[in-house]
Amino acid sequence: MRQQRADYTLEDLLALPDDAPRVELVDGVIHVTPSPTLGHQNISFLLTSWLRSHAPAHLRATQAVGVALSHNTSRQPDVLLCRAGLPSDRSRLRPADVVLAVEVVSPGTRRVDRFAKPGEYAAAGIPFYWRIEQDPVHLYAYRLGDRIGPGGEQQYELVADSAELIELTEPFDIKLPITEIVA
């Protein structure tokens, strides 16, 4: 009955048992996310490893940690670059803790990863968003721009995209050969 009323909150997520399935909370509705594919997981792992070895010491790369976007919305980006020094027992981050959110697009998540999540992350003020398409692997890098959406929120602007090499100066100097995130 509560699911029909869409009144779940972040507190309800925190009360779930440790062995609960991977879920996201969107406008008070709990969404169980399907298990990712082997290809998806390989990209996520390799990108996390690459970011860990190349990011400056004040940033930390991790995978699938929740981000509380509002009192009734929480997402779990596939890869996160967050500020270092956060307590390691945190299972939910604040948008201010997150520098980069990355989604690896799967057949079942195309619409959400391409449209819903970028809007939610931008509205929460997460400075950078990357979307990685599979088959073939292609990375799209965005940063918060000056464009304002219909609701008055900032929107992302595309700053780079490639199936070969991503070169960026933000959030740090990046020269990422796409072959390094493909298994």
Side-chain angles (χ1 to χ4, degrees):
M1 191 60 122
R2 289 184 68 197
Q3 187 71 13
Q4 292 174 349
R5 292 195 321 249
D7 67 350
Y8 285 100
T9 67
L10 294 177
E11 293 302 316
D12 293 316
L13 284 188
L14 294 174
L16 290 175
D18 290 341
D19 61 350
R22 182 175 170 186
V23 297
E24 293 181 323
L25 181 65
V26 182
D27 295 327
V29 177
I30 291 178
H31 294 256
V32 176
T33 59
S35 295
T37 65
L38 183 59
H40 176 285
Q41 290 302 84
N42 285 338
I43 292 168
S44 294
F45 172 78
L46 291 170
L47 178 59
T48 302
S49 297
W50 191 93
L51 289 169
R52 280 182 175 260
S53 66
H54 290 83
H58 70 279
L59 298 174
R60 177 176 159 190
T62 192
Q63 292 180 279
V65 174
V67 180
L69 301 175
S70 72
H71 78 284
N72 68 352
T73 299
S74 177
R75 293 289 195 175
Q76 286 189 23
D78 295 315
V79 177
L80 290 157
L81 192 60
C82 59
R83 302 186 195 299
L86 297 172
S88 61
D89 64 346
R90 300 224 351 237
S91 62
R92 192 110 20 242
L93 302 177
R94 298 169 302 139
D97 299 328
V98 180
V99 174
L100 167 68
V102 181
E103 295 293 347
V104 178
V105 179
S106 296
T109 64
R110 283 186 184 118
R111 182 180 305 270
V112 172
D113 291 345
R114 291 176 183 163
F115 302 107
K117 288 184 178 183
E120 293 168 358
Y121 296 154
I126 296 173
F128 300 95
Y129 173 70
W130 291 1
R131 187 182 84 237
I132 301 175
E133 298 284 343
Q134 299 184 63
D135 200 23
V137 175
H138 194 108
L139 192 152
Y140 296 85
Y142 301 87
R143 73 169 176 80
L144 277 179
D146 297 329
R147 281 189 341 180
I148 303 298
E153 71 283 350
Q154 280 184 285
Q155 293 184 326
Y156 288 116
E157 61 185 24
L158 183 67
V159 293
D161 76 279
S162 181
E164 296 174 11
L165 178 69
I166 290 291
E167 291 188 78
L168 300 165
T169 58
E170 298 177 295
F172 62 93
D173 285 330
I174 293 172
K175 189 172 184 176
L176 169 60
I178 299 303
T179 56
E180 293 195 22
I181 62 169
V182 179

